[in-house]
Amino acid sequence: LMVKFVRSLEKTEDLEDAVDVANSFGSIRDPKLLDFLRTEVHKNLTFVSGKKDKRGITIYSLLNSIFAEDGKGSDSVWATEMSSKLRLPPINYVEASSLPDDSGRIYQQVFFYGDEDGATSYASFMGNFPASDWKVNKGQFWTTITSLKGKPTTIFANLPLKEPEDKTAIEKLSEYLDEKDIHPTIFIHRGHSYHVNTTLDNLQSTARIVILGSCGGYHNLAIVLEKSPEAHIISSKQVGTYRVNEPIIRSLEDVVRSGKNVDWVQMWAGLMKKFAGEGANKTLFDDYVPPHKNLGAIFIKAYRQVMKDQK
């Protein structure tokens, strides 16, 4: 089964199968199975090289690089080496200077939907903004949250109005952002996976950080990177929940307002400590994938970089 899983990736029309192989490597814990996968990738690289299949050589060379044994280096060391090897921008942090617009303000957009889950998520989300640190203005269709301390930050969150009014709220907010020429660099999806297409339709190319807080958000990597090539993506392989989303968002907002680079290795280490004693929540958190461990996204970015270089 695993031999078939890795074989003939060069014959597929899109990258989905190759991305699945890359993603699987981040999920497997059995050392023997990992070694087996490495061997199979190398065999296939040798095979496509013999046929001089350019697409196959690109796919298997990238997988071979990503699957290389990382020795005993830290996550930061691995990510730095991988960025250099694949000729990509940093994958373990987002530079603080890439988040603000020309005025120096960081804009974010958060998407909520009108079912019961959306109302619960919105109420939970709004608990992250104490009056001492944030100013909150609730309008007819969206809430505007503005930082009072640290780096100037404005968050727009549409209200989870009853369906289908929730879509109207998103449309009205998007129209307002267009009218004011506001291009957020942080996008956050809250709600069930069947709403995610609406969020992705409204994603802008300026996105540097995308949080897909829905179940299986991991499967939308290619769509996100098609619209926002420079995005760093946080997503879950399994169940998305506000009990994990809120701590991630709080950590992110603290770093953003500090004006420091968003260092995923550092941030994830802090979150791991926070969830360590939380049982069920720890299990749910373990299924969330940070950008520096998101091998599928790293593979897509690297593949597109190679294709661009070959033109």
Side-chain angles (χ1 to χ4, degrees):
L1 184 64
M2 295 306 284
V3 168
K4 287 181 180 177
F5 180 52
V6 177
R7 185 187 293 162
S8 302
L9 299 177
E10 74 281 4
K11 294 178 182 176
T12 56
E13 286 185 20
D14 55 33
L15 289 178
E16 190 174 342
D17 290 348
V19 171
D20 284 344
V21 173
N23 283 337
S24 72
F25 203 77
S27 306
I28 295 169
R29 296 287 171 264
D30 182 337
K32 286 185 181 176
L33 188 52
L34 288 175
D35 281 341
F36 177 80
L37 269 182
R38 284 191 187 99
T39 302
E40 287 304 308
V41 165
H42 192 71
K43 279 184 190 173
N44 281 278
L45 176 57
T46 303
F47 176 70
V48 293
S49 297
K51 292 201 306 176
K52 295 185 169 54
D53 184 320
K54 281 188 178 179
R55 187 170 188 270
I57 291 168
T58 300
I59 288 171
Y60 286 108
S61 293
L62 291 173
L63 289 174
N64 199 46
S65 292
I66 291 170
F67 288 6
E69 293 193 64
D70 57 4
K72 295 178 181 175
S74 66
D75 284 350
S76 292
V77 170
W78 180 87
T80 302
E81 288 175 352
M82 196 56 56
S83 296
S84 174
K85 193 191 294 185
L86 301 177
R87 307 214 340 276
L88 292 174
I91 56 179
N92 54 320
Y93 66 90
V94 176
E95 289 187 14
S97 60
S98 70
L99 295 176
D101 68 358
D102 292 341
S103 72
R105 182 166 291 277
I106 297 166
Y107 287 103
Q108 307 179 37
Q109 186 173 358
V110 190
F111 297 80
F112 290 97
Y113 294 87
D115 48 23
E116 186 180 341
D117 177 77
T120 303
S121 292
Y122 176 81
S124 171
F125 175 74
M126 291 309 297
N128 292 317
F129 306 102
S132 58
D133 290 349
W134 301 87
K135 180 183 176 184
V136 177
N137 286 322
K138 187 175 179 181
Q140 182 183 357
F141 293 108
W142 68 84
T143 298
T144 305
I145 307 160
T146 309
S147 63
L148 298 175
K149 296 176 182 174
K151 198 81 177 167
T153 304
T154 299
I155 304 167
F156 297 101
N158 68 277
L159 299 178
L161 304 178
K162 285 206 186 292
E163 300 168 312
E165 285 297 302
D166 53 351
K167 302 285 176 67
T168 303
I170 291 171
E171 284 170 16
K172 294 286 186 186
L173 174 53
S174 291
E175 285 169 10
Y176 171 81
L177 296 178
D178 283 346
E179 184 187 312
K180 298 293 183 185
D181 199 26
I182 292 172
H183 304 286
T185 50
I186 299 174
F187 289 81
I188 301 172
H189 169 80
R190 302 296 301 272
H192 289 299
S193 55
Y194 48 77
H195 293 306
V196 78
N197 285 342
T198 301
T199 297
L200 297 177
D201 285 345
N202 288 276
L203 205 58
Q204 296 190 35
S205 61
T206 49
R208 295 294 176 271
I209 297 172
V210 176
I211 300 179
L212 298 176
S214 60
C215 298
Y218 202 52
H219 303 294
N220 295 289
L221 303 179
I223 300 169
V224 172
L225 293 172
E226 191 68 48
K227 298 197 77 167
S228 312
E230 295 181 49
H232 287 225
I233 305 165
I234 295 176
S235 54
S236 174
K237 296 179 197 169
Q238 301 289 339
V239 178
T241 170
Y242 69 89
R243 295 197 298 275
V244 176
N245 291 329
E246 301 307 351
I248 290 174
I249 290 168
R250 278 197 297 275
S251 294
L252 177 62
E253 298 303 345
D254 286 346
V255 177
V256 165
R257 284 189 302 140
S258 75
K260 296 176 182 174
N261 291 343
V262 181
D263 185 318
W264 300 120
V265 176
Q266 204 173 61
M267 183 171 144
W268 228 250
L271 287 164
M272 285 171 73
K273 280 184 188 171
K274 183 239 176 293
F275 283 108
E278 293 194 18
N281 288 345
K282 166 74 165 61
T283 303
L284 292 166
F285 171 71
D286 286 345
D287 277 327
Y288 276 68
V289 185
H292 66 288
K293 294 281 187 72
N294 204 324
L295 300 184
I298 292 167
F299 174 84
I300 292 169
K301 288 181 179 182
Y303 182 86
R304 289 178 180 166
Q305 181 63 44
V306 171
M307 291 294 103
K308 194 165 72 175
D309 289 346
Q310 287 180 358
K311 282 182 180 176

